[in-house]
PDB file of all heavy atoms in Angstrom:
ATOM      1  N   GLN D 543      44.438   4.068  28.781  1.00 95.00           N
ATOM      2  CA  GLN D 543      45.116   4.756  29.878  1.00 95.00           C
ATOM      3  C   GLN D 543      45.055   3.936  31.167  1.00 95.00           C
ATOM      4  O   GLN D 543      44.900   4.481  32.267  1.00 95.00           O
ATOM      5  CB  GLN D 543      44.485   6.133  30.112  1.00 95.00           C
ATOM      6  CG  GLN D 543      44.971   7.162  29.110  1.00 95.00           C
ATOM      7  CD  GLN D 543      44.790   8.575  29.643  1.00 95.00           C
ATOM      8  OE1 GLN D 543      43.663   9.003  29.851  1.00 95.00           O
ATOM      9  NE2 GLN D 543      45.892   9.282  29.867  1.00 95.00           N
ATOM     10  N   HIS D 595      64.664  -5.146  36.723  1.00 95.00           N
ATOM     11  CA  HIS D 595      64.811  -4.967  35.285  1.00 95.00           C
ATOM     12  C   HIS D 595      65.988  -5.778  34.744  1.00 95.00           C
ATOM     13  O   HIS D 595      67.040  -5.860  35.368  1.00 95.00           O
ATOM     14  CB  HIS D 595      64.986  -3.482  34.946  1.00 95.00           C
ATOM     15  CG  HIS D 595      64.638  -3.185  33.518  1.00 95.00           C
ATOM     16  ND1 HIS D 595      65.505  -3.418  32.473  1.00 95.00           N
ATOM     17  CD2 HIS D 595      63.502  -2.713  32.954  1.00 95.00           C
ATOM     18  CE1 HIS D 595      64.916  -3.077  31.331  1.00 95.00           C
ATOM     19  NE2 HIS D 595      63.693  -2.649  31.597  1.00 95.00           N
ATOM     20  N   GLU D 616      68.788  -7.370  27.006  1.00 96.00           N
ATOM     21  CA  GLU D 616      67.735  -6.574  26.361  1.00 96.00           C
ATOM     22  C   GLU D 616      66.359  -7.142  26.690  1.00 96.00           C
ATOM     23  O   GLU D 616      66.186  -8.365  26.739  1.00 96.00           O
ATOM     24  CB  GLU D 616      67.911  -6.617  24.839  1.00 96.00           C
ATOM     25  CG  GLU D 616      69.061  -5.767  24.325  1.00 96.00           C
ATOM     26  CD  GLU D 616      68.706  -4.290  24.281  1.00 96.00           C
ATOM     27  OE1 GLU D 616      67.519  -3.954  24.448  1.00 96.00           O
ATOM     28  OE2 GLU D 616      69.629  -3.474  24.086  1.00 96.00           O
ATOM     29  N   ARG D 620      56.706  -8.742  24.053  1.00 94.00           N
ATOM     30  CA  ARG D 620      55.417  -9.002  24.705  1.00 94.00           C
ATOM     31  C   ARG D 620      54.576  -9.860  23.762  1.00 94.00           C
ATOM     32  O   ARG D 620      54.862  -9.928  22.575  1.00 94.00           O
ATOM     33  CB  ARG D 620      54.703  -7.679  24.956  1.00 94.00           C
ATOM     34  CG  ARG D 620      55.494  -6.728  25.823  1.00 94.00           C
ATOM     35  CD  ARG D 620      54.940  -5.327  25.695  1.00 94.00           C
ATOM     36  NE  ARG D 620      55.630  -4.409  26.595  1.00 94.00           N
ATOM     37  CZ  ARG D 620      55.395  -3.104  26.652  1.00 94.00           C
ATOM     38  NH1 ARG D 620      54.489  -2.559  25.862  1.00 94.00           N
ATOM     39  NH2 ARG D 620      56.049  -2.339  27.484  1.00 94.00           N
ATOM     40  N   ASP D 626      53.042  -9.822  16.209  1.00 93.00           N
ATOM     41  CA  ASP D 626      53.457  -8.917  15.124  1.00 93.00           C
ATOM     42  C   ASP D 626      54.697  -9.461  14.426  1.00 93.00           C
ATOM     43  O   ASP D 626      54.754  -9.537  13.196  1.00 93.00           O
ATOM     44  CB  ASP D 626      53.818  -7.525  15.679  1.00 93.00           C
ATOM     45  CG  ASP D 626      52.590  -6.721  16.073  1.00 93.00           C
ATOM     46  OD1 ASP D 626      51.486  -7.078  15.631  1.00 93.00           O
ATOM     47  OD2 ASP D 626      52.755  -5.733  16.821  1.00 93.00           O
ATOM     48  N   ASP D 630      55.468 -10.759  10.602  1.00 93.00           N
ATOM     49  CA  ASP D 630      56.555 -10.208   9.788  1.00 93.00           C
ATOM     50  C   ASP D 630      57.614 -11.251   9.427  1.00 93.00           C
ATOM     51  O   ASP D 630      58.578 -10.936   8.733  1.00 93.00           O
ATOM     52  CB  ASP D 630      57.245  -9.065  10.551  1.00 93.00           C
ATOM     53  CG  ASP D 630      56.313  -7.879  10.735  1.00 93.00           C
ATOM     54  OD1 ASP D 630      55.380  -7.737   9.913  1.00 93.00           O
ATOM     55  OD2 ASP D 630      56.505  -7.116  11.688  1.00 93.00           O
ATOM     56  N   ASP D 804      41.763   6.437  21.155  1.00 91.00           N
ATOM     57  CA  ASP D 804      41.548   6.624  19.717  1.00 91.00           C
ATOM     58  C   ASP D 804      40.371   5.818  19.210  1.00 91.00           C
ATOM     59  O   ASP D 804      39.988   5.929  18.058  1.00 91.00           O
ATOM     60  CB  ASP D 804      42.822   6.246  18.951  1.00 91.00           C
ATOM     61  CG  ASP D 804      43.897   7.313  19.134  1.00 91.00           C
ATOM     62  OD1 ASP D 804      43.535   8.509  19.172  1.00 91.00           O
ATOM     63  OD2 ASP D 804      45.080   6.953  19.263  1.00 91.00           O
ATOM     64  N   ARG D 810      28.841   5.261  12.270  1.00 95.00           N
ATOM     65  CA  ARG D 810      28.826   3.830  11.922  1.00 95.00           C
ATOM     66  C   ARG D 810      28.864   2.950  13.161  1.00 95.00           C
ATOM     67  O   ARG D 810      28.330   1.847  13.167  1.00 95.00           O
ATOM     68  CB  ARG D 810      30.011   3.493  11.012  1.00 95.00           C
ATOM     69  CG  ARG D 810      29.806   3.939   9.564  1.00 95.00           C
ATOM     70  CD  ARG D 810      31.048   3.659   8.730  1.00 95.00           C
ATOM     71  NE  ARG D 810      31.388   2.251   8.720  1.00 95.00           N
ATOM     72  CZ  ARG D 810      32.636   1.777   8.618  1.00 95.00           C
ATOM     73  NH1 ARG D 810      33.648   2.614   8.531  1.00 95.00           N
ATOM     74  NH2 ARG D 810      32.863   0.488   8.586  1.00 95.00           N
ATOM     75  N   ARG D 867      35.018  -2.048  14.269  1.00 89.00           N
ATOM     76  CA  ARG D 867      35.950  -1.865  13.158  1.00 89.00           C
ATOM     77  C   ARG D 867      36.798  -3.112  12.944  1.00 89.00           C
ATOM     78  O   ARG D 867      37.340  -3.331  11.889  1.00 89.00           O
ATOM     79  CB  ARG D 867      36.850  -0.658  13.432  1.00 89.00           C
ATOM     80  CG  ARG D 867      36.096   0.660  13.401  1.00 89.00           C
ATOM     81  CD  ARG D 867      37.001   1.849  13.657  1.00 89.00           C
ATOM     82  NE  ARG D 867      36.233   3.091  13.640  1.00 89.00           N
ATOM     83  CZ  ARG D 867      35.730   3.669  14.727  1.00 89.00           C
ATOM     84  NH1 ARG D 867      35.908   3.129  15.904  1.00 89.00           N
ATOM     85  NH2 ARG D 867      35.046   4.792  14.624  1.00 89.00           N
ATOM     86  N   ASP D 903      42.895  -3.571  18.451  1.00 85.00           N
ATOM     87  CA  ASP D 903      44.301  -3.629  18.840  1.00 85.00           C
ATOM     88  C   ASP D 903      44.718  -2.469  19.729  1.00 85.00           C
ATOM     89  O   ASP D 903      45.871  -2.385  20.115  1.00 85.00           O
ATOM     90  CB  ASP D 903      45.184  -3.581  17.582  1.00 85.00           C
ATOM     91  CG  ASP D 903      45.380  -4.975  17.022  1.00 85.00           C
ATOM     92  OD1 ASP D 903      45.124  -5.933  17.755  1.00 85.00           O
ATOM     93  OD2 ASP D 903      45.771  -5.083  15.860  1.00 85.00           O
ATOM     94  N   PHE D 904      43.822  -1.559  20.033  1.00 91.00           N
ATOM     95  CA  PHE D 904      44.222  -0.443  20.884  1.00 91.00           C
ATOM     96  C   PHE D 904      44.595  -0.973  22.267  1.00 91.00           C
ATOM     97  O   PHE D 904      44.022  -1.961  22.740  1.00 91.00           O
ATOM     98  CB  PHE D 904      43.102   0.591  21.008  1.00 91.00           C
ATOM     99  CG  PHE D 904      42.893   1.360  19.738  1.00 91.00           C
ATOM    100  CD1 PHE D 904      41.682   1.317  19.067  1.00 91.00           C
ATOM    101  CD2 PHE D 904      43.923   2.115  19.184  1.00 91.00           C
ATOM    102  CE1 PHE D 904      41.490   2.014  17.892  1.00 91.00           C
ATOM    103  CE2 PHE D 904      43.737   2.822  18.007  1.00 91.00           C
ATOM    104  CZ  PHE D 904      42.519   2.774  17.358  1.00 91.00           C
ATOM    105  N   SER D 905      45.566  -0.302  22.907  1.00 92.00           N
ATOM    106  CA  SER D 905      46.046  -0.842  24.174  1.00 92.00           C
ATOM    107  C   SER D 905      46.591   0.267  25.059  1.00 92.00           C
ATOM    108  O   SER D 905      46.765   1.408  24.627  1.00 92.00           O
ATOM    109  CB  SER D 905      47.128  -1.892  23.921  1.00 92.00           C
ATOM    110  OG  SER D 905      48.246  -1.301  23.301  1.00 92.00           O
ATOM    111  N   ALA D 908      51.407   2.382  28.218  1.00 93.00           N
ATOM    112  CA  ALA D 908      52.660   2.000  28.880  1.00 93.00           C
ATOM    113  C   ALA D 908      52.942   0.516  28.800  1.00 93.00           C
ATOM    114  O   ALA D 908      54.090   0.102  28.800  1.00 93.00           O
ATOM    115  CB  ALA D 908      52.632   2.445  30.344  1.00 93.00           C
TER     116      ALA D 908
ATOM    117  N   GLU B   2      39.651   5.964  11.674  1.00 36.00           N
ATOM    118  CA  GLU B   2      38.771   4.897  11.194  1.00 36.00           C
ATOM    119  C   GLU B   2      39.623   3.777  10.602  1.00 36.00           C
ATOM    120  O   GLU B   2      40.524   4.012   9.818  1.00 36.00           O
ATOM    121  CB  GLU B   2      37.834   5.477  10.124  1.00 36.00           C
ATOM    122  CG  GLU B   2      36.768   4.531   9.667  1.00 36.00           C
ATOM    123  CD  GLU B   2      35.509   4.646  10.547  1.00 36.00           C
ATOM    124  OE1 GLU B   2      35.529   5.322  11.579  1.00 36.00           O
ATOM    125  OE2 GLU B   2      34.525   4.044  10.165  1.00 36.00           O
ATOM    126  N   GLY B   5      43.654  -0.355  14.254  1.00 43.00           N
ATOM    127  CA  GLY B   5      43.428  -1.654  14.868  1.00 43.00           C
ATOM    128  C   GLY B   5      43.868  -2.746  13.928  1.00 43.00           C
ATOM    129  O   GLY B   5      45.054  -2.982  13.765  1.00 43.00           O
ATOM    130  N   THR B  10      53.281  -3.502  11.166  1.00 89.00           N
ATOM    131  CA  THR B  10      54.093  -3.438  12.386  1.00 89.00           C
ATOM    132  C   THR B  10      54.777  -2.083  12.511  1.00 89.00           C
ATOM    133  O   THR B  10      54.819  -1.504  13.599  1.00 89.00           O
ATOM    134  CB  THR B  10      55.126  -4.576  12.397  1.00 89.00           C
ATOM    135  OG1 THR B  10      54.427  -5.805  12.256  1.00 89.00           O
ATOM    136  CG2 THR B  10      55.916  -4.600  13.691  1.00 89.00           C
ATOM    137  N   ARG B  13      52.377   0.426  13.558  1.00 92.00           N
ATOM    138  CA  ARG B  13      52.013   0.224  14.956  1.00 92.00           C
ATOM    139  C   ARG B  13      53.100   0.781  15.890  1.00 92.00           C
ATOM    140  O   ARG B  13      52.796   1.391  16.902  1.00 92.00           O
ATOM    141  CB  ARG B  13      51.753  -1.245  15.260  1.00 92.00           C
ATOM    142  CG  ARG B  13      50.926  -1.431  16.539  1.00 92.00           C
ATOM    143  CD  ARG B  13      50.877  -2.860  17.026  1.00 92.00           C
ATOM    144  NE  ARG B  13      50.589  -3.809  15.977  1.00 92.00           N
ATOM    145  CZ  ARG B  13      49.367  -4.100  15.547  1.00 92.00           C
ATOM    146  NH1 ARG B  13      48.326  -3.489  16.064  1.00 92.00           N
ATOM    147  NH2 ARG B  13      49.192  -4.995  14.601  1.00 92.00           N
ATOM    148  N   TYR B  16      52.789   4.394  15.951  1.00 95.00           N
ATOM    149  CA  TYR B  16      51.583   4.734  16.704  1.00 95.00           C
ATOM    150  C   TYR B  16      51.828   4.620  18.202  1.00 95.00           C
ATOM    151  O   TYR B  16      51.457   5.508  18.988  1.00 95.00           O
ATOM    152  CB  TYR B  16      50.429   3.812  16.281  1.00 95.00           C
ATOM    153  CG  TYR B  16      49.192   4.004  17.118  1.00 95.00           C
ATOM    154  CD1 TYR B  16      48.322   5.058  16.866  1.00 95.00           C
ATOM    155  CD2 TYR B  16      48.916   3.149  18.188  1.00 95.00           C
ATOM    156  CE1 TYR B  16      47.203   5.260  17.651  1.00 95.00           C
ATOM    157  CE2 TYR B  16      47.804   3.340  18.980  1.00 95.00           C
ATOM    158  CZ  TYR B  16      46.938   4.403  18.715  1.00 95.00           C
ATOM    159  OH  TYR B  16      45.839   4.588  19.501  1.00 95.00           O
ATOM    160  N   GLN B  20      51.616   7.445  21.048  1.00 96.00           N
ATOM    161  CA  GLN B  20      50.702   7.309  22.191  1.00 96.00           C
ATOM    162  C   GLN B  20      51.442   7.549  23.514  1.00 96.00           C
ATOM    163  O   GLN B  20      50.924   8.214  24.417  1.00 96.00           O
ATOM    164  CB  GLN B  20      50.084   5.904  22.175  1.00 96.00           C
ATOM    165  CG  GLN B  20      48.896   5.751  23.103  1.00 96.00           C
ATOM    166  CD  GLN B  20      48.453   4.300  23.256  1.00 96.00           C
ATOM    167  OE1 GLN B  20      49.046   3.384  22.680  1.00 96.00           O
ATOM    168  NE2 GLN B  20      47.412   4.087  24.041  1.00 96.00           N
ATOM    169  N   ARG B  23      52.026  11.243  23.859  1.00 96.00           N
ATOM    170  CA  ARG B  23      50.819  11.992  24.246  1.00 96.00           C
ATOM    171  C   ARG B  23      50.589  11.891  25.749  1.00 96.00           C
ATOM    172  O   ARG B  23      50.123  12.818  26.387  1.00 96.00           O
ATOM    173  CB  ARG B  23      49.588  11.461  23.511  1.00 96.00           C
ATOM    174  CG  ARG B  23      49.491  11.918  22.067  1.00 96.00           C
ATOM    175  CD  ARG B  23      48.036  11.909  21.574  1.00 96.00           C
ATOM    176  NE  ARG B  23      47.408  10.601  21.672  1.00 96.00           N
ATOM    177  CZ  ARG B  23      47.561   9.616  20.793  1.00 96.00           C
ATOM    178  NH1 ARG B  23      48.329   9.786  19.739  1.00 96.00           N
ATOM    179  NH2 ARG B  23      46.961   8.455  20.955  1.00 96.00           N
ATOM    180  N   ASN B  24      50.917  10.711  26.329  1.00 95.00           N
ATOM    181  CA  ASN B  24      50.702  10.549  27.765  1.00 95.00           C
ATOM    182  C   ASN B  24      51.752  11.272  28.612  1.00 95.00           C
ATOM    183  O   ASN B  24      51.534  11.498  29.788  1.00 95.00           O
ATOM    184  CB  ASN B  24      50.620   9.060  28.126  1.00 95.00           C
ATOM    185  CG  ASN B  24      49.217   8.524  27.916  1.00 95.00           C
ATOM    186  OD1 ASN B  24      48.346   8.661  28.758  1.00 95.00           O
ATOM    187  ND2 ASN B  24      48.977   7.963  26.722  1.00 95.00           N
ATOM    188  N   HIS B  40      61.272   5.119  28.094  1.00 96.00           N
ATOM    189  CA  HIS B  40      60.261   4.064  28.116  1.00 96.00           C
ATOM    190  C   HIS B  40      60.569   3.001  27.053  1.00 96.00           C
ATOM    191  O   HIS B  40      60.526   1.800  27.317  1.00 96.00           O
ATOM    192  CB  HIS B  40      58.876   4.678  27.873  1.00 96.00           C
ATOM    193  CG  HIS B  40      57.755   3.720  28.115  1.00 96.00           C
ATOM    194  ND1 HIS B  40      57.121   3.608  29.332  1.00 96.00           N
ATOM    195  CD2 HIS B  40      57.159   2.812  27.302  1.00 96.00           C
ATOM    196  CE1 HIS B  40      56.186   2.669  29.250  1.00 96.00           C
ATOM    197  NE2 HIS B  40      56.191   2.184  28.022  1.00 96.00           N
ATOM    198  N   GLN B  43      63.474   0.863  27.936  1.00 94.00           N
ATOM    199  CA  GLN B  43      63.161  -0.089  29.006  1.00 94.00           C
ATOM    200  C   GLN B  43      62.257  -1.237  28.573  1.00 94.00           C
ATOM    201  O   GLN B  43      62.349  -2.324  29.117  1.00 94.00           O
ATOM    202  CB  GLN B  43      62.447   0.654  30.143  1.00 94.00           C
ATOM    203  CG  GLN B  43      63.369   1.327  31.116  1.00 94.00           C
ATOM    204  CD  GLN B  43      62.607   1.597  32.406  1.00 94.00           C
ATOM    205  OE1 GLN B  43      62.073   0.692  33.044  1.00 94.00           O
ATOM    206  NE2 GLN B  43      62.530   2.878  32.764  1.00 94.00           N
ATOM    207  N   PHE B  44      61.354  -0.974  27.621  1.00 95.00           N
ATOM    208  CA  PHE B  44      60.304  -1.966  27.378  1.00 95.00           C
ATOM    209  C   PHE B  44      60.259  -2.558  25.964  1.00 95.00           C
ATOM    210  O   PHE B  44      59.542  -3.519  25.746  1.00 95.00           O
ATOM    211  CB  PHE B  44      58.934  -1.371  27.726  1.00 95.00           C
ATOM    212  CG  PHE B  44      58.788  -1.013  29.177  1.00 95.00           C
ATOM    213  CD1 PHE B  44      58.804   0.309  29.601  1.00 95.00           C
ATOM    214  CD2 PHE B  44      58.672  -2.004  30.136  1.00 95.00           C
ATOM    215  CE1 PHE B  44      58.683   0.634  30.943  1.00 95.00           C
ATOM    216  CE2 PHE B  44      58.550  -1.691  31.485  1.00 95.00           C
ATOM    217  CZ  PHE B  44      58.554  -0.361  31.895  1.00 95.00           C
ATOM    218  N   ASP B  46      61.755  -4.567  22.713  1.00 94.00           N
ATOM    219  CA  ASP B  46      62.790  -5.557  22.442  1.00 94.00           C
ATOM    220  C   ASP B  46      63.703  -5.024  21.333  1.00 94.00           C
ATOM    221  O   ASP B  46      63.329  -4.073  20.618  1.00 94.00           O
ATOM    222  CB  ASP B  46      62.143  -6.903  22.099  1.00 94.00           C
ATOM    223  CG  ASP B  46      62.228  -7.248  20.639  1.00 94.00           C
ATOM    224  OD1 ASP B  46      61.672  -6.472  19.830  1.00 94.00           O
ATOM    225  OD2 ASP B  46      62.859  -8.255  20.285  1.00 94.00           O
ATOM    226  N   LYS B  50      63.137  -1.932  18.468  1.00 95.00           N
ATOM    227  CA  LYS B  50      63.957  -0.716  18.428  1.00 95.00           C
ATOM    228  C   LYS B  50      64.649  -0.589  17.075  1.00 95.00           C
ATOM    229  O   LYS B  50      64.718   0.505  16.494  1.00 95.00           O
ATOM    230  CB  LYS B  50      64.982  -0.751  19.577  1.00 95.00           C
ATOM    231  CG  LYS B  50      64.349  -0.437  20.931  1.00 95.00           C
ATOM    232  CD  LYS B  50      65.363  -0.393  22.058  1.00 95.00           C
ATOM    233  CE  LYS B  50      65.383  -1.695  22.814  1.00 95.00           C
ATOM    234  NZ  LYS B  50      65.925  -1.658  24.156  1.00 95.00           N
ATOM    235  N   ARG B  52      63.640  -1.746  14.197  1.00 94.00           N
ATOM    236  CA  ARG B  52      62.649  -1.344  13.182  1.00 94.00           C
ATOM    237  C   ARG B  52      62.360   0.147  13.295  1.00 94.00           C
ATOM    238  O   ARG B  52      62.217   0.838  12.278  1.00 94.00           O
ATOM    239  CB  ARG B  52      61.333  -2.097  13.402  1.00 94.00           C
ATOM    240  CG  ARG B  52      61.319  -3.490  12.865  1.00 94.00           C
ATOM    241  CD  ARG B  52      59.889  -4.008  12.861  1.00 94.00           C
ATOM    242  NE  ARG B  52      59.270  -3.753  11.559  1.00 94.00           N
ATOM    243  CZ  ARG B  52      58.973  -4.727  10.705  1.00 94.00           C
ATOM    244  NH1 ARG B  52      59.217  -5.978  11.008  1.00 94.00           N
ATOM    245  NH2 ARG B  52      58.424  -4.433   9.542  1.00 94.00           N
TER     246      ARG B  52
END
Side-chain angles (χ1 to χ4, degrees):
Chain D
Q543 281 202 295
H595 201 279
E616 285 282 349
R620 301 163 176 177
D626 285 343
D630 294 335
D804 287 323
R810 283 176 59 211
R867 292 181 181 94
D903 273 343
F904 289 119
S905 63
Chain B
E2 187 89 351
T10 304
R13 200 191 313 277
Y16 174 80
Q20 193 190 1
R23 283 205 302 279
N24 276 277
H40 190 92
Q43 276 199 58
F44 297 106
D46 106 299
K50 284 183 262 201
R52 280 193 93 111

